[in-house]
Amino acid sequence: MADENDAIIENSSSEMDIVRKLHVYPELQHPEKTLSLSNLDRQCPLLMYLVFFYKSDKTRNVSSESVFSNLRLGLEQTLSVWYPAAGRLCLDPKDMKLNLWCNNGGAVMVEAATRVEMSELGDLFQYNEFSETLVYKPPFNGDFPEVPLVVAQVTRFACGGYSIGIGTSHSVFDGLSAYEFLHAWASNSYIHNITNNGNSNNDNNNNNNNEDDQAMMIEPVHERGNLLTTTNPKPGTRAAAIDHLYQLIKQMMTEQMAMVNGGQNGHFEDPSSGFLIKTFEVSGEAVERMKKRAMGGDGKLPKGFSCSSFELLAAHLWKVRTRALGLRSDAMVCLQFAVDIRKRAEPPLPEYFSGNAYVLASVASTAGELLNLTIESIVHKTREAKNSVDQDYINAYVEALGQGRNDANLPPIKELTIVSDWTKMPFHKVGFIAGEPADYVSPLCPPVPQVAYFMQSPKDPKGLHVRIGLNPQNVDDFSNHFLNYNH
């Protein structure tokens, strides 16, 4: 069901025309209820945006009306199953913590057209500020129940290509559950495309059928279960990520005080200004070369040494970023990375759990020590940190988060390197238009721009794209060393 209103909305510009905006409601509406969120869900109650690009050669015979209509119908059907995504966040009056009001409030879809050609954006894998106009950003004045949890904008380019910009609430989905939701939405939209337009001639459709069927069979579990009833960890168990973060904050505050006492102007660096979002292509061949060097050059694994592409690149990136920052040798530096706890929790979370199920693991060192470590040694440390994430670690982590606020924003900490692994979530394979995979999927600038995202390359099955926010003065040094795998 859809409710059309605001035929022309305020963000029309000289380059972008907004054709219409409408609310999309679940085809099957559920009784209203409040769903309790876990502390993991409450960390970042913001919309996270992805822009799916489809070049004109994939959309030659596709009309804007059919794309928009199929996506709308597919979303109506998908929201019937993923019904919390049609709700709104709300504050519990007792403890003022965020929960999820499943009220069938609906999602928002926008249809737009631009006079820009897709080729004018350059390499799609590089961040372009124009992409910020390819998503609908609902106004937020602090009133959570007014903000939809899913938004989408379908934009037709002058060349005939399309972008589909989608925002999903991080309090409802983590990366994996967002991928499953979008995959189900695309599959439902494809079913409507076939129904409305007859059989498609796309060569990829037969290849996508199995994935479409699998997405249709997903039965997501929305209740947060044992993440709401975590018990006290064993005595002495600490969440290293939280402890290291506090130590970094203390170190930063000490440096600020020293600057003030020394007659300098101590100030926090503004995280929203000056960062350049850069994407680096790392081919599968380059990854293999790195592994061989890390293994001593002969390609043989040292006894007990295990190394994934993510671990290798995370270790390499941490070392290179620390070098580029030029930190003093005794400064504490830290690498943190997300660990999926779906199978690590006791008992394990149910299959297709739809909420947030990641905690951060953490490795700390001094800058001087890190720069003298081999990649193999760093990988060992990251594996130890990952293996330490058990139920006691989860309990300590969730308990520590419960002591914070819903909108707690940390000041930027240059000594902290955060890496997010998206390599198991091939968003570019989500076929929103006629079942076709996207030419590229670009995340918009995140709330913490210096976070590094590792994504699958659409063209190289073993290759990766690494997106990270860098200070302008560090870009050249980081680029030269990150693309040089000899150290």
Side-chain angles (χ1 to χ4, degrees), residues 268-309:
F268 294 126
E269 178 185 342
D270 182 356
S272 63
S273 65
F275 276 103
L276 296 178
I277 308 299
K278 303 289 289 183
T279 302
F280 299 89
E281 291 187 278
V282 184
S283 68
E285 181 182 352
V287 172
E288 291 305 311
R289 289 201 306 271
M290 287 181 67
K291 285 185 178 181
K292 289 182 178 180
R293 290 194 179 101
M295 297 168 194
D298 57 6
K300 296 180 180 179
L301 284 169
K303 186 176 181 180
F305 179 60
S306 177
C307 184
S308 69
S309 297

Side-chain angles (χ1 to χ4, degrees), residues 333-403:
V333 293
C334 185
L335 170 68
Q336 297 193 346
F337 54 95
V339 176
D340 187 351
I341 62 171
R342 285 168 169 80
K343 295 182 179 180
R344 292 173 178 267
E346 297 177 6
L349 298 177
E351 189 174 14
Y352 302 128
F353 173 76
S354 71
N356 284 271
Y358 282 84
V359 302
L360 290 175
S362 187
V363 184
S365 173
T366 66
E369 290 170 347
L370 175 63
L371 296 181
N372 287 321
L373 288 175
T374 64
I375 294 297
E376 178 188 344
S377 298
I378 301 172
V379 168
H380 272 302
K381 290 179 180 294
T382 59
R383 288 300 295 268
E384 289 173 0
K386 183 177 181 179
N387 291 336
S388 72
V389 177
D390 56 13
Q391 186 61 51
D392 283 320
Y393 187 102
I394 296 169
N395 289 341
Y397 191 93
V398 173
E399 181 181 53
L401 291 180
Q403 300 170 4

Side-chain angles (χ1 to χ4, degrees), residues 39 51 121 123 128 140 149 207 212 239 259 262 301 321 360 373 378 382 408 413 419 424 473 476 480:
N39 290 336
V51 181
L121 302 184
D123 292 327
N128 189 305
F140 177 60
L149 304 179
N207 295 332
D212 292 335
M259 291 174 66
L301 284 169
R321 181 174 181 270
L360 290 175
L373 288 175
I378 301 172
T382 59
I413 304 173
V419 179
K424 296 180 176 63
Q473 63 267 30
D476 289 343
N480 291 337

Side-chain angles (χ1 to χ4, degrees), residues 27-308:
E27 185 178 65
L28 173 65
Q29 301 209 350
H30 290 252
E32 289 191 20
K33 70 173 185 177
T34 299
L35 185 69
S36 295
L37 295 179
S38 75
N39 290 336
L40 298 178
D41 297 313
R42 296 173 178 139
Q43 290 182 84
C44 183
L46 301 174
L47 293 176
M48 307 297 287
Y49 291 94
L50 292 171
V51 181
F52 295 74
F53 290 99
Y54 296 84
K55 293 181 179 178
S56 57
D57 59 345
K58 289 187 176 180
T59 61
R60 280 191 296 267
N61 300 317
V62 178
S63 70
S64 181
E65 172 60 33
S66 67
V67 171
F68 192 83
S69 176
N70 291 332
L71 285 175
R72 176 180 61 80
L73 294 171
L75 181 56
E76 289 178 358
Q77 190 170 348
T78 308
L79 290 177
S80 298
V81 179
W82 302 76
Y83 62 90
R88 298 291 186 268
L89 296 178
C90 63
L91 288 172
D92 188 318
K94 296 180 180 179
D95 58 15
M96 299 305 292
K97 290 186 179 294
L98 281 176
N99 284 315
L100 184 51
W101 181 25
C102 302
N103 67 345
N104 301 297
V108 172
M109 285 188 62
V110 171
E111 182 181 0
T114 179
R115 284 168 284 283
V116 173
E117 296 196 359
M118 199 172 289
S119 60
E120 295 179 55
L121 302 184
D123 292 327
L124 293 177
F125 63 83
Q126 291 294 351
Y127 173 77
N128 189 305
E129 287 187 1
F130 184 76
S131 294
E132 301 288 344
T133 69
L134 301 177
V135 298
Y136 171 65
K137 297 180 179 180
F140 177 60
N141 60 5
D143 191 3
F144 285 108
E146 295 298 318
V147 181
L149 304 179
V150 174
V151 297
Q153 178 176 317
V154 179
T155 304
R156 181 179 176 88
F157 282 75
C159 57
Y162 287 87
S163 69
I164 301 174
I166 297 176
T168 55
S169 172
H170 207 330
S171 284
V172 180
F173 304 107
D174 63 11
L176 180 57
S177 55
Y179 171 74
E180 291 171 345
F181 169 76
L182 295 177
H183 195 178
W185 180 2
S187 298
N188 287 328
S189 301
Y190 176 66
I191 297 298
H192 285 287
N193 177 69
I194 295 298
T195 302
N196 295 333
N197 302 320
N199 292 328
S200 173
N201 294 322
N202 293 329
D203 294 335
N204 291 321
N205 288 338
N206 290 333
N207 295 332
N208 289 340
N209 282 344
N210 290 337
E211 291 186 4
D212 292 335
D213 292 342
Q214 184 179 5
M216 293 290 291
M217 292 168 56
I218 286 180
E219 295 184 7
V221 177
H222 304 304
E223 300 291 339
R224 270 38 180 185
N226 56 327
L227 288 180
L228 302 176
T229 57
T230 54
T231 58
N232 293 329
K234 292 178 181 177
T237 301
R238 306 284 299 181
I242 304 297
D243 287 348
H244 290 162
L245 186 58
Y246 287 148
Q247 292 173 46
L248 288 174
I249 293 173
K250 182 178 179 180
Q251 174 178 265
M252 181 176 64
M253 297 299 294
T254 300
E255 290 178 354
Q256 298 295 323
M257 289 302 298
M259 291 174 66
V260 172
N261 293 335
Q264 303 179 51
N265 291 323
H267 62 87
F268 294 126
E269 178 185 342
D270 182 356
S272 63
S273 65
F275 276 103
L276 296 178
I277 308 299
K278 303 289 289 183
T279 302
F280 299 89
E281 291 187 278
V282 184
S283 68
E285 181 182 352
V287 172
E288 291 305 311
R289 289 201 306 271
M290 287 181 67
K291 285 185 178 181
K292 289 182 178 180
R293 290 194 179 101
M295 297 168 194
D298 57 6
K300 296 180 180 179
L301 284 169
K303 186 176 181 180
F305 179 60
S306 177
C307 184
S308 69

Side-chain angles (χ1 to χ4, degrees), residues 410-475:
L410 290 170
I413 304 173
K414 62 180 179 295
E415 294 87 358
L416 175 61
T417 299
I418 305 176
V419 179
S420 184
D421 183 8
W422 285 17
T423 58
K424 296 180 176 63
M425 297 170 278
F427 285 101
H428 63 279
K429 293 183 180 179
V430 176
F432 275 113
I433 296 184
E436 286 272 8
D439 288 289
Y440 198 75
V441 179
S442 175
L444 294 193
C445 186
V448 183
Q450 61 267 41
V451 173
Y453 291 91
F454 290 9
M455 303 175 288
Q456 279 192 15
S457 167
K459 297 180 180 179
D460 183 350
K462 294 184 178 181
L464 300 176
H465 284 183
V466 178
R467 172 168 290 199
I468 184 172
L470 299 167
N471 289 314
Q473 63 267 30
N474 302 136
V475 169

